[in-house]
Amino acid sequence: MNPHLKKLVFLVACGGWLLGCKSSATLPAPVSTEARETASALYFTNPIMDGADPWVLKKDSVYYSCGSGNGSIYVSQSTKLTELGKRVPVWKAPASGWNAHNIWAPEIHYLQGKWYIYYAAGKDPGGPFIHQRSGVLESTTDSPFGPYADKGMLYTGDSLENPSSVRWAIDVSPFYLNGQLYAVWSGWEKNALTDRTKQHLYIARMSNPWTIASNRAKISSPTEPWETGGELDLNEGPELLKKKEKAFLIYSCRESWLKEYRLGQLTLKDTLADPMVASNWTKSSAPVFQATANVLGVGHCSFTTSPDNTEDWIFYHAKKSEKPGWQRDIRMQKFTWTADGYPVFGEPVPSGVPIPVPSGQK
């Protein structure tokens, strides 16, 4: 055979062998579109959306969330925790009055057969935020999307017979305990001319979903080293977390505009004890959920369960950067419980890390 022809035959044979090895060694079998979609549906990543002060309520296997923006309050609904649905405006602040501006942290609740929204607002736009008071809206239909009637300002002071003595109050959250309806919130001891005023947690009894029927009782102040030491000492955003025979108030402390924002915990010593007696609550010895190097300023949470009710989930917001301010996004993750019934929130999961979707989500 011609030497040049022999070389050519060798190269072709060798190339074919190499090509065959390369094909069988590195080219995986094609994955169907359906398989890829199924795999992606099993996980999600944080953050799930822009926003702050997340509130999620589960009723009849549907999740309802509530928020504010542009002077309005919106509600959304979804069967998926990871996709809370389209935001539908249900109420717009009036042009003037005590609740014309600064609409903050609304919560939607289903109480006594009707839908109610609790929110904070002020009479003047922008800061200083010295006029914040709390109010409640009632749906005039059986729909969480309203329309809503304004039931007025809630009384959040120390002299029930003198309604004009109402005090600064935000983050009102109602709950039932032992058959009694209560409201818990963050407030000032006295109204002030500066919003650099210390915030405490207060509680009062309610006679119905739109009426506070007792003077307030202070149950927590920012006193621990881990909830003080910054620009402003505050306790805010209290939310009831109850499971079996234990009741907790999970609240936010440190400054909401700083990366040190975090969660603390009050534990009711006995669920049959009067929650309006401060000594019946025990404060955690450390934060129960706080920032890491990757997730900053975690706080203002709410709680719900997975679609099949086998898992507990916490919703919270986090800061987008170390720069002081209120640019935040909404996140969620599963939490667990100790053997003796205390919540374990762990550390906030960093952005982009795959998290299994809530159990039972389709």
Side-chain angles (χ1 to χ4, degrees), residues 156-210:
T156 52
D158 302 309
S159 180
L160 193 61
E161 63 276 7
N162 181 15
S164 64
S165 64
V166 65
R167 297 285 191 256
W168 191 95
I170 63 172
D171 301 341
V172 166
S173 186
F175 64 87
Y176 275 101
L177 193 64
N178 301 322
Q180 172 63 52
L181 183 62
Y182 296 92
V184 63
W185 67 89
S186 175
W188 294 351
E189 289 185 333
K190 296 181 179 179
N191 293 332
L193 297 179
T194 173
D195 53 16
R196 297 286 172 158
T197 300
K198 184 181 294 187
Q199 293 171 224
H200 313 262
L201 298 186
Y202 293 91
I203 189 172
R205 290 185 295 273
M206 303 186 78
S207 57
N208 57 49
W210 64 90

Side-chain angles (χ1 to χ4, degrees), residues 332-346:
M332 57 178 281
Q333 63 189 65
K334 185 172 68 172
F335 68 96
T336 59
W337 300 83
T338 64
D340 52 352
Y342 289 82
V344 178
F345 300 112

Side-chain angles (χ1 to χ4, degrees), residues 10 34 38 74 101 116 132 179 184 191 219 230 242 248 278 292 295 297 301 318-319 321 332 339 355 358:
F10 171 78
E34 181 180 355
T38 299
Y74 66 80
H101 303 283
Y116 293 91
Q132 294 302 97
V184 63
N191 293 332
I219 57 173
K242 189 174 185 296
F248 310 91
T292 65
V295 187
C301 63
K319 282 178 56 58
S321 73
M332 57 178 281
I355 303 173

Side-chain angles (χ1 to χ4, degrees), residues 2 8 37 39 60 64 90-91 102 117 143 162 167 173 248 290 295 303 315 330 339 341 357:
N2 184 295
L8 179 60
E37 290 177 349
D60 299 332
Y64 299 94
V90 298
W91 180 81
N102 304 335
I117 294 176
S143 170
N162 181 15
R167 297 285 191 256
S173 186
F248 310 91
Q290 61 182 325
V295 187
F303 307 100
F315 279 75
I330 294 175
V357 299

Side-chain angles (χ1 to χ4, degrees), residues 279-329:
S279 60
N280 287 336
W281 294 95
T282 301
K283 184 174 291 188
S284 55
S285 60
V288 293
F289 195 58
Q290 61 182 325
T292 65
N294 297 312
V295 187
L296 308 174
V298 298
H300 204 120
C301 63
S302 63
F303 307 100
T304 190
T305 58
S306 60
D308 63 6
N309 296 318
T310 64
E311 299 171 343
D312 292 289
W313 287 76
I314 179 174
F315 279 75
Y316 62 96
H317 69 229
K319 282 178 56 58
K320 292 186 176 183
S321 73
E322 293 191 6
K323 182 179 178 181
W326 290 283
Q327 298 301 311
R328 296 165 290 190
D329 51 39

Side-chain angles (χ1 to χ4, degrees), residues 127 162 227 236 246 318 335 362:
N162 181 15
E227 56 183 354
E236 63 182 11
K246 285 188 169 60
F335 68 96
K362 298 178 180 180

